[in-house]
Amino acid sequence: MAGPYTAKQGFTIPGKIRRDEKGRPVFNVMIQSYQLEVLENGNPSHALMSLDQIGLELVSSEDTDEDGQVKLTLWRRNHPNDARNTGWGFRGTVTALVIADLMSS
């Protein structure tokens, strides 16, 4: 938790996605929900987690079976005393909603 945390997750969308004039697929992403829990030495803690920002963005996928990837970034502001404790961590779930412009068949 000392710095930003990032993770990527690939996705596929059933149907044919419309492409813009530059050939890029037309879709967007937003946070649907999230739940994060603070851990101290691997155990749930009642300490508050101070998030500065949760960010989602669409990135290209190198896997040709995927339509794209969602990249999640969590920024957390550490209390000066917390930053020295290497046992701090977190776990949780972030649900992303990908909205695509599909072509009619």
Side-chain angles (χ1 to χ4, degrees):
M1 290 174 69
Y5 168 82
T6 61
K8 292 181 183 178
Q9 178 63 50
F11 64 89
T12 58
I13 296 176
K16 187 165 177 69
I17 302 169
R18 186 177 68 80
R19 296 192 172 267
D20 67 11
E21 61 279 351
K22 293 184 179 181
R24 298 175 297 212
V26 178
F27 46 59
N28 209 339
V29 65
M30 62 184 281
I31 295 174
Q32 182 174 353
S33 63
Y34 69 94
Q35 178 274 322
L36 300 172
E37 178 180 38
V38 176
L39 303 175
E40 186 175 9
N41 298 318
N43 298 311
S45 171
H46 294 291
L48 295 176
M49 184 174 189
S50 174
L51 287 173
D52 284 335
Q53 188 174 2
I54 298 176
L56 286 178
E57 63 181 304
L58 293 168
V59 294
S60 298
S61 175
E62 295 179 14
D63 185 340
T64 57
D65 291 334
E66 296 175 342
D67 290 319
Q69 284 189 344
V70 174
K71 179 180 175 184
L72 166 73
T73 305
L74 300 174
W75 290 271
R76 180 181 181 268
R77 184 179 327 146
N78 280 326
H79 184 279
N81 293 330
D82 296 344
R84 288 177 264 169
N85 184 347
T86 58
W88 286 109
F90 68 93
R91 68 177 169 207
T93 303
V94 176
T95 302
L97 179 62
V98 177
I99 303 167
D101 188 357
L102 299 179
M103 297 175 60
S104 61
S105 48

